[in-house]
Amino acid sequence: MLLREYGVASEPILDKHALAVFEQVAGNVDLAPILDGLPDPCRTTLVLGQYLSAIELLTVGEEADLYRSMIDRAFSSGADAVVFKPHPNAPAAIVDRLADAFVEGDGKFFVLRSPLSLELLLTEWKPAQAVGCFS
């Protein structure tokens, strides 16, 4: 939609081209400190946070409840560990509420607090599944 008002045509980018850019950038970033703190991806679910309360689609409590149910479902579907990646614009209160519900760093629940683009991390760390609730 960018520049549509000027008649600029949109053109889809093939996955392999986007991945090549992420891999090139990731090659210039030391991912080891972040990767070392994450569980083995084989039986791990990545839960992607958004900022639904920040844009007033949900309250903070409703958004935290949504993520809590996503995390519960991940564990009940067989995940040994869940990594929650909050959106950079999400209120800190959401992570605080999740930390109250789950024990962060207990070998099962982790919060990925890195400001690094998740796409870069995923060039090296490939969880068994990812769960999200937004575009």
Side-chain angles (χ1 to χ4, degrees):
M1 295 186 52
L2 182 64
L3 300 176
R4 179 179 283 168
E5 66 272 22
Y6 297 107
V8 175
S10 62
E11 183 177 329
I13 298 172
L14 297 176
D15 294 352
K16 66 180 182 178
H17 297 303
L19 183 57
V21 170
F22 293 134
E23 288 173 342
Q24 180 182 7
V25 174
N28 294 309
V29 176
D30 182 12
L31 297 175
I34 300 166
L35 293 170
D36 290 345
L38 294 176
D40 181 339
C42 292
R43 293 187 49 85
T44 298
T45 297
L46 172 64
V47 175
L48 303 167
Q50 284 297 326
Y51 54 105
L52 302 171
S53 57
I55 58 174
E56 299 180 351
L57 290 177
L58 299 175
T59 66
V60 169
E62 290 169 334
E63 187 170 4
D65 288 345
L66 174 64
Y67 298 139
R68 188 175 305 116
S69 73
M70 293 164 68
I71 293 165
D72 285 338
R73 290 287 291 268
F75 281 126
S76 68
S77 71
D80 289 341
V82 172
V83 173
F84 177 72
K85 173 65 169 116
H87 190 280
N89 294 330
I94 290 172
V95 175
D96 295 342
R97 287 180 185 222
L98 293 176
D100 288 344
F102 302 96
V103 180
E104 184 179 353
D106 68 353
K108 295 182 180 182
F109 178 70
F110 300 81
V111 176
L112 180 56
R113 299 176 189 273
S114 171
L116 182 72
S117 164
L118 186 60
E119 290 83 358
L120 298 182
L121 180 64
L122 292 176
T123 64
E124 296 292 325
W125 186 73
K126 303 191 182 324
Q129 63 180 349
V131 180
C133 60
F134 208 62
S135 63

